[in-house]
């Protein structure tokens, strides 16, 4: 995904050796052209999986999730972090720790939107320790449905999330993999290393 890579290089801001800020195109302001291409790429990578639903988590996963669902022509569900007056019963609930926010949230999905026949693709904006992906996968599994894969827009490969998900038997496809965020510079995995300040 050269378009995504260029965005990380040109607009990403390294805040520390653990945190990359991408709020100008992914998780505050969103680039719709980029999101459309992200959806196409996830669809290409998971084309053989007979996906029936896309599942993500609010709010940063919604844009890549909806564009992927649009390309796949399937519904998209997002797990809610906030309590809803209209969503109190017949829900799946999981606890998820956010590395970026350093807080634990209860995420919820209505039971009427996932059933045992579903083949679910999980989409998220970032992969660090894998907490959000595991929480979403547990919801799918509570429903008796199958997780066919996990699509990540930006993976921080220096954190253990990918390895933990792979060890748990999940297929993980990341569009950009970052090896390090040292000295204000992004180093990519398996590609030419390009600096970002």
């Amino acid at each position: 995904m050269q378009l995504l890579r260029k965005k990380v290089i040109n607009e990403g801001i390294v805040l520390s050796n653990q945190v990359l800020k991408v709020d100008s195109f992914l998780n505050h302001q969103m680039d719709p052209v980029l999101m459309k291409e992200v959806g196409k790429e996830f669809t290409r990578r998971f084309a053989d999986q007979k996906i029936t639903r896309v599942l993500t988590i609010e709010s940063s996963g919604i844009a890549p999730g909806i564009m992927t669902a649009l390309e796949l022509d399937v519904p998209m569900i997002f797990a809610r972090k906030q309590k809803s007056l209209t969503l109190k019963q017949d829900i799946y609930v999981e606890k998820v720790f956010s590395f970026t926010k350093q807080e634990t949230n209860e995420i919820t999905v209505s039971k009427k939107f996932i059933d045992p026949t579903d083949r679910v693709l999980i989409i998220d904006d970032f992969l660090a320790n894998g907490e959000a992906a595991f929480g979403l996968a547990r919801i799918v599994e509570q429903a008796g449905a199958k997780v066919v894969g996990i699509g990540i827009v930006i993976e921080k490969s220096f954190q253990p999330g990918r390895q933990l998900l792979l060890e748990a038997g999940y297929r993980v496809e990341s569009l950009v993999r970052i090896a390090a965020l040292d000295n204000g510079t992004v180093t990519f995995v398996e590609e030419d290393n390009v600096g970002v300040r």
Side-chain angles (χ1 to χ4, degrees), residues 128-131 134 159-170 172:
N129 294 314
E131 293 279 339
F134 274 116
Q159 291 178 284
R162 178 185 191 84
Q163 192 59 39
L164 294 170
L165 290 166
L166 293 175
E167 287 170 3
Y170 298 110
V172 179

Side-chain angles (χ1 to χ4, degrees), residues 1-192:
M1 282 263 348
Q2 286 304 312
L3 179 59
L4 176 58
R5 207 164 186 277
K6 284 178 185 172
K7 283 283 188 180
V8 171
I9 291 165
N10 295 328
E11 298 180 36
I13 300 167
V14 178
L15 296 181
S16 73
N17 66 356
Q18 300 287 308
V19 180
L20 174 67
K21 186 175 181 181
V22 291
D23 64 347
S24 68
F25 62 90
L26 181 57
N27 55 21
H28 192 43
Q29 174 175 269
M30 294 178 197
D31 180 332
V33 173
L34 174 64
M35 290 302 104
K36 184 176 181 181
E37 292 305 312
V38 162
K40 285 181 179 177
E41 182 62 16
F42 281 136
T43 298
R44 184 187 71 76
R45 293 190 187 200
F46 291 101
D48 61 338
Q49 292 301 309
K50 298 186 174 86
I51 294 157
T52 61
R53 297 187 192 277
V54 171
L55 175 64
T56 191
I57 193 166
E58 69 174 348
S59 61
S60 300
I62 292 175
I66 195 71
M67 296 311 271
T68 304
L70 180 65
E71 289 294 322
L72 289 166
D73 194 25
V74 299
M76 185 205 78
I77 310 158
F78 68 87
R80 295 174 178 257
K81 292 181 191 172
Q82 307 299 322
K83 298 277 189 241
S84 169
L85 293 175
T86 62
L87 194 64
K88 289 187 170 182
Q89 297 176 335
D90 295 323
I91 56 174
Y92 298 112
V93 181
E94 282 294 335
K95 287 190 181 337
V96 171
F97 179 75
S98 169
F99 175 81
T100 308
K101 296 186 175 81
Q102 291 292 301
E103 65 185 24
T104 299
N105 291 297
E106 273 195 351
I107 60 170
T108 59
V109 171
S110 173
K111 289 185 178 180
K112 70 182 177 182
F113 295 128
I114 306 178
D115 66 55
T117 64
D118 278 316
R119 296 176 59 81
V120 180
L121 174 61
I122 292 170
I123 299 288
D124 206 5
D125 62 336
F126 266 95
L127 174 59
N129 294 314
E131 293 279 339
F134 274 116
L136 292 169
R138 287 191 300 268
I139 284 175
V140 173
E141 288 155 5
Q142 279 184 56
K146 179 170 178 60
V147 175
V148 298
I150 298 170
I152 302 296
V153 180
I154 298 173
E155 173 190 315
K156 295 191 281 183
S157 298
F158 54 88
Q159 291 178 284
R162 178 185 191 84
Q163 192 59 39
L164 294 170
L165 290 166
L166 293 175
E167 287 170 3
Y170 298 110
R171 175 180 171 190
V172 179
E173 294 282 344
S174 300
L175 303 186
V176 168
R177 296 181 64 201
I178 294 171
L181 296 171
D182 296 329
N183 303 314
T185 301
V186 173
T187 305
F188 294 97
V189 172
E190 301 170 358
E191 296 180 35
D192 296 335

